[in-house]
Amino acid sequence: MSSYKDKKVITIGIVSELTGLSERKIRYYEERKLIYPERSKGGTRKYSFLDVERLLDIANKMEDGMQTFEIRKMEQKQLQKKEVRDRMLRGQLNAAFNIRK
């Protein structure tokens, strides 16, 4: 069951109001592959509350002088670390319960 924070239901105008970011800047972050809104059948961008939090984080990093490619690179590293950690935990659980593939 997904959380209400995951549901992509917020339009770009509302996201702009919530974050203080212009719609143009939000679209720019999408263009730079930092945010991934869904599209309605009519093509309207739909964002989640997690996307709003993410946009605020991106804006703070940009304000601190980071570039979009640096933010993307940092996130890729974090994702790789999480994947390694998940594999290690899975391996430990499999070993603890004698699970063989």
Side-chain angles (χ1 to χ4, degrees):
M1 183 179 189
S2 66
S3 164
Y4 74 93
K5 286 186 171 189
D6 297 326
K7 294 187 188 301
K8 305 249 183 187
V9 296
I10 309 168
T11 62
I12 194 168
I14 302 295
V15 171
S16 178
E17 286 185 51
L18 290 171
T19 61
L21 298 170
S22 68
E23 290 182 19
R24 184 180 182 290
K25 186 156 282 199
I26 295 167
R27 287 194 286 285
Y28 173 73
Y29 293 152
E30 177 187 358
E31 193 178 290
R32 301 298 294 164
K33 307 234 184 286
L34 293 173
I35 193 84
Y36 300 93
E38 287 181 4
R39 297 287 186 135
S40 70
K41 289 179 184 173
T44 303
R45 290 172 172 86
K46 296 288 187 169
Y47 299 86
S48 69
F49 285 101
L50 289 176
D51 291 332
V52 170
E53 291 173 5
R54 171 118 183 75
L55 283 164
L56 290 169
D57 185 51
I58 292 166
N60 286 332
K61 288 176 180 169
M62 295 288 289
E63 204 171 287
D64 289 342
M66 289 186 80
Q67 301 293 317
T68 55
F69 76 91
E70 293 173 308
I71 296 170
R72 198 171 43 253
K73 193 174 188 179
M74 186 173 71
E75 289 172 355
Q76 287 170 342
K77 282 184 182 179
Q78 289 172 341
L79 183 61
Q80 287 171 344
K81 284 181 184 178
K82 183 186 179 311
E83 288 171 354
V84 168
R85 187 176 58 242
D86 288 353
R87 269 188 265 134
M88 285 175 44
L89 287 171
R90 221 177 352 259
Q92 290 171 347
L93 287 169
N94 289 345
F97 293 101
N98 293 321
I99 299 172
R100 303 264 188 247
K101 287 189 174 183

